[in-house]
Each structure stands twice: as C-alpha cells, then as structure tokens.
Amino acid sequence: MDVNAAVAAAAAIAGVGTGVVAMLAFRWSEREQSKPTRSSLHTDAVLPPGVDTVLSVLRSSAVVLDEADSVVKASSAAYALGLVRGGKLAVDAMLQMARDTRRDGEIRQVELDLPRRGSGRGEGLAVSARVAPLGSRLVLLLVEDLTEARRIEAVRRDFVANVSHELKTPVGALSLLSEAVTDAADDPEAVNRFAGRMQIEATRLNSLVQELIDLSRVQNDDPLEDAEPVRVDELVAEAIDRCRHQAGAKQITMAAGGTADLHVWGNRGQLAAALGNLVENAVNYSPARTRVGIAGRRISASGGGGQTGGSGAMIEIAVTDQGIGISERDKDRIFERFYRVDPARSRATGGTGLGLAIVKHVAASHGGEVTVWSAEGQGSTFTLRLPEAGRERDRDKADRRGRALIEPGDLDDEDDGPYETFTDEHLPAPEVLP
C-alpha cells in the first residue's frame, strides 16, 4: 500500500511539473509571437482592409503606429532612411507628432533635417513628415525625402543670382556710357571713345547670353540624337581658326599634332564648341610669345596609352598651354558655372565663366570626360576624352603616327604666320606630365 501511495505521489508531482513547464512554454511562445518582425511588426489583421496594398505602392516612406507607439507596418524605404529601428520609430520629433495626432485627431506636417544614416561627414537628410489618424487606434506617418529637391533648388538660386550679377555688369556699363555719350555730344572724340566702350560691353553681353543658351541646350538636349562620326582634325582646325585673331595679337604660336585620321562619335556643333572653349581659354590665359598645343591620340577604354583599334577605344584631345596655371584649391571648382580663377583677367578677355561648364556637360553627355593637369607658373593641360566612332581601320600604324592633324596651308595662307604643325615628339602625352 505504501508503494502504491508513493507511486501515486510521484505521478502527481510529475504531472504538476509537466503542467508548469507547459504553461511556461506557452507564455514564452506568446511573448515571441508578439515580438515585431521586419516585414510585419504586428499581424496584418490590425490594418484596415486595403491599407497594406496602398502603402506598398506609395513613393513616400510609410510607417503605421499602434496605440503603444509600436510599428505595425513600415515600408522598405522607411528602413532605408533609418526611420524604424528595433520595431520603434527612431525619430523623436515624428514620434511626438504621432502621439499628438492620436490624442486630438489633427493632421500635422513638418519639415525636418535628419542625420544621414552611416555617414560620418555630417551630411543630412531633408524630409517632409505628415501624420494622420488611420482608423480609431492607428496613426499613419508619411515621409518624403526632399534632399535632392533642396539641392536642385539651391543650384537654381545660385544660378539665377550669378546670371543676374553677370548681366547687371554690362547692362550697367551700357547705361553709364550712354549717359556719357549724351553729355559729350559736342565732343566727337569723346563720343567715339565712349561708343567704342559701348561696343565692347555689348559684345560681352551678347557672348554671355549666347553661352547661357549653349549651356541650356547642352543640359537639356540629347546630343546623340544627331550623332555622327566627326573628324578630330576638322574640330582642331575650327578651334584654331576661332582663336586665330587673339593668338596673333599676343604672338602665341598655335600648333597641332598627334595621330591623324581620328574620328569621334557625337554632335559636331557641341564638340566644336567644347574644343573651341578649351583652346580659347589656353590663349586667353597664356602670356605673349608662348605656345599652345593641341594633340589627339587613340587610347584603350581603360585609360591606358598606346594605339588600339578595338570598338571600345577612346580618343583623347589634349590642349596644352604655358600660361599662369591653376592652383590646387581652384582645380576642383574650375568646371563650376561662373567660377573664374582670375576674375580680373576674365573681365579683360571678356570671359563669362561658362566655357568650362559647357565643356564638362558636352563631355558627359557624349559618354566621355574632361580632366585637367596644371601647375602654377608652368601651364595647364586640359584633356577631352571621347568615345571613338566605330569604323574599320586598315591603315598601318606608321601611316597614322607622326602625321600632323592640320597642314600648314589649312592654318594660314602665308608662310610667315605664327602657326605651325608638329608631331608627337614635340608635344608630350598627358600621362608624362608631372
């Protein structure tokens, strides 16, 4: 009897223990199931019908909060912006907005600057947050990333301010000169002098307006719609002819060389304008009795030198001068619109500060790039790199190397002009520059 009682007692104790363990396991299971997950932080059943589908197609980052400020649903964009972490809304200002909206049912909207997730450079995100009630217990938060829109707006404001300033200078000068002409009506010599100044300012104003038009076309048009194979030697000839007068006045020798019979693929007008801007800058920023060189060559698409006939080849056109050079501080900014290394020299030469910006956009829109090497007091080399026009080349390398891009007769009909042709050995390739 004692044995049976002992067995019964042991069985009872075991049953009680099993019941306790089962209850603990059930409670633990409930707790785990109640924990939020990344895809659905609570069950989707708490969301009103159709809300989940609507949130999935919204461009804005969406977060749904329950009464306990826990995240019920969040879009992948919300995680990417760092709005949700560990099942909670990570931005205190937005969380407070959600609580206020839950209390009074009022829709709220605010713009905030948030630290960029994973960035150690202090860069921030500009966002617009809008909170609205969703049913009786939930709150919907929609967040729109305004960072890019603000950047574009800042660029637009700077551009308008710069254009206004640049237009104001020649217009103001024309106004003053016209008054001076009126006051000096009885002095023919003064009238002629003021009229000459007015012509200079009018030319400067015309150049600024034209370059603004060119920049707008480069930025908005697709140059490859009218693309064609363009001979590099013809582009170089046009650029030299464009700067013939300025170079002659300063006794600057302009020389062309490199590999002959090169072709690039693109819009002829834009490519001619880009190369012309580079050559014009080289002449304007070079002292008298110096040399400006233009050389073209074919390189592999990876950037290495040497001749290659593959379809991925690139064409480099280097414009080298012996001018004032560019400081390290200015190198990163010279391709900005209206930026000038030497404002006084730009005013003297009629520069608008848009030439290199146009070159940069032309190169980028043609699938190429423009780079610069420069040292103060030694000069600069601007290299325009463009895709080669695809065509078969059966000529031997010896026929192409060492041949001038432009014959002397193409540059000047007179034998004693300041223009000459030279080969590769006279103009070093950009890679060998220090």
Side-chain angles (χ1 to χ4, degrees):
M1 195 65 183
D2 293 338
V3 174
N4 292 335
V7 171
I13 294 173
V16 172
T18 302
V20 171
V21 171
M23 181 178 296
L24 292 175
F26 177 75
R27 293 295 185 183
W28 180 83
S29 177
E30 280 189 332
R31 182 182 301 176
E32 288 297 316
Q33 290 179 2
S34 66
K35 285 186 177 181
T37 61
R38 183 180 180 90
S39 60
S40 179
L41 295 164
H42 275 194
T43 61
D44 293 339
V46 299
L47 290 176
V51 172
D52 194 9
T53 303
V54 173
L55 295 182
S56 65
V57 298
L58 287 178
R59 296 182 59 185
S60 304
S61 303
V63 180
V64 179
L65 301 176
D66 63 10
E67 295 172 309
D69 292 332
S70 297
V71 176
V72 176
K73 191 74 177 179
S75 64
S76 58
Y79 286 100
L81 289 178
L83 302 179
V84 178
R85 297 177 188 173
K88 296 291 184 179
L89 189 60
V91 182
D92 293 337
M94 296 181 186
L95 184 59
Q96 186 59 46
M97 288 175 57
R99 291 170 177 170
D100 294 340
T101 296
R102 185 185 301 109
R103 183 180 64 255
D104 56 23
E106 182 180 347
I107 298 176
R108 289 174 168 80
Q109 184 169 352
V110 67
E111 292 188 1
L112 301 171
D113 292 323
L114 307 178
R116 188 183 296 271
R117 188 176 182 182
S119 174
R121 299 189 300 272
E123 298 177 349
L125 290 172
V127 299
S128 174
R130 184 178 179 87
V131 180
L134 185 64
S136 60
R137 299 187 301 111
L138 304 179
V139 174
L140 173 63
L141 170 66
L142 296 178
V143 179
E144 191 76 23
D145 188 355
L146 304 179
T147 306
E148 183 65 15
R150 283 194 180 181
R151 186 192 68 81
I152 294 175
E153 178 63 20
V155 171
R156 187 194 66 80
R157 286 197 305 268
D158 292 343
F159 182 72
V160 171
N162 287 328
V163 169
S164 302
H165 175 74
E166 295 296 332
L167 289 175
K168 182 179 178 180
T169 301
V171 170
L174 286 172
S175 177
L176 293 175
L177 288 170
S178 63
E179 294 178 3
V181 169
T182 302
D183 296 338
D186 298 332
D187 187 351
E189 182 179 351
V191 169
N192 290 335
R193 184 171 67 254
F194 292 141
R197 292 285 304 277
M198 291 178 68
Q199 187 175 12
I200 294 174
E201 294 298 332
T203 301
R204 178 183 177 185
L205 182 60
N206 180 71
S207 298
L208 176 59
V209 172
Q210 185 58 51
E211 289 204 342
L212 284 172
I213 294 173
D214 293 341
L215 181 60
S216 177
R217 288 175 177 172
V218 169
Q219 291 178 324
N220 296 328
D221 296 344
D222 182 6
L224 300 184
E225 287 184 358
D226 301 321
E228 59 179 330
V230 182
R231 291 179 59 91
V232 173
D233 55 355
E234 293 178 358
L235 295 178
V236 174
E238 291 181 26
I240 290 180
D241 187 65
R242 168 178 166 177
C243 304
R244 185 187 301 272
H245 176 72
Q246 299 97 305
K250 299 173 67 174
Q251 298 181 352
I252 292 178
T253 300
M254 301 181 67
T259 305
D261 194 27
L262 297 176
H263 293 73
V264 293
W265 182 256
N267 183 291
R268 180 184 181 87
Q270 292 189 9
L271 293 176
L275 184 58
N277 287 345
L278 292 179
V279 176
E280 185 176 20
N281 275 0
V283 172
N284 289 337
Y285 286 88
S286 293
R289 293 179 293 278
T290 56
R291 175 190 292 263
V292 171
I294 308 101
R297 66 171 186 164
R298 184 183 301 109
I299 64 169
S300 63
S302 61
Q307 300 283 334
T308 175
S311 58
M314 303 286 287
I315 300 299
E316 278 191 352
I317 308 174
V319 180
T320 302
D321 63 62
Q322 298 172 330
I324 61 175
I326 305 170
S327 66
E328 291 292 335
R329 180 184 66 257
D330 294 321
K331 281 183 183 179
D332 294 334
R333 301 194 60 191
I334 56 175
F335 294 104
E336 296 179 9
R337 291 172 292 190
F338 297 110
Y339 186 79
R340 297 179 176 91
V341 175
D342 187 348
R345 185 182 292 266
S346 293
R347 287 193 295 268
T349 59
T352 63
L354 292 173
L356 290 180
I358 292 175
V359 174
K360 177 182 177 180
H361 283 288
V362 169
S365 62
H366 282 75
E369 63 176 348
V370 59
T371 58
V372 59
W373 170 91
S374 186
E376 291 187 271
Q378 298 183 30
S380 305
T381 296
F382 285 84
T383 303
L384 187 61
R385 186 176 291 110
L386 300 166
E388 182 181 24
R391 63 188 294 265
E392 295 294 328
R393 287 176 174 80
D394 297 326
R395 298 184 182 183
D396 186 78
K397 292 182 180 181
D399 294 332
R400 291 186 274 114
R401 290 186 59 85
R403 183 178 300 174
L405 289 174
I406 300 176
E407 300 297 333
D410 294 332
L411 299 175
D412 202 337
D413 293 333
E414 299 179 3
D415 295 333
D416 55 354
Y419 309 95
E420 65 180 66
T421 301
F422 67 98
T423 57
D424 289 349
E425 61 183 358
H426 293 89
L427 184 67
E431 281 75 15
V432 303
L433 292 172

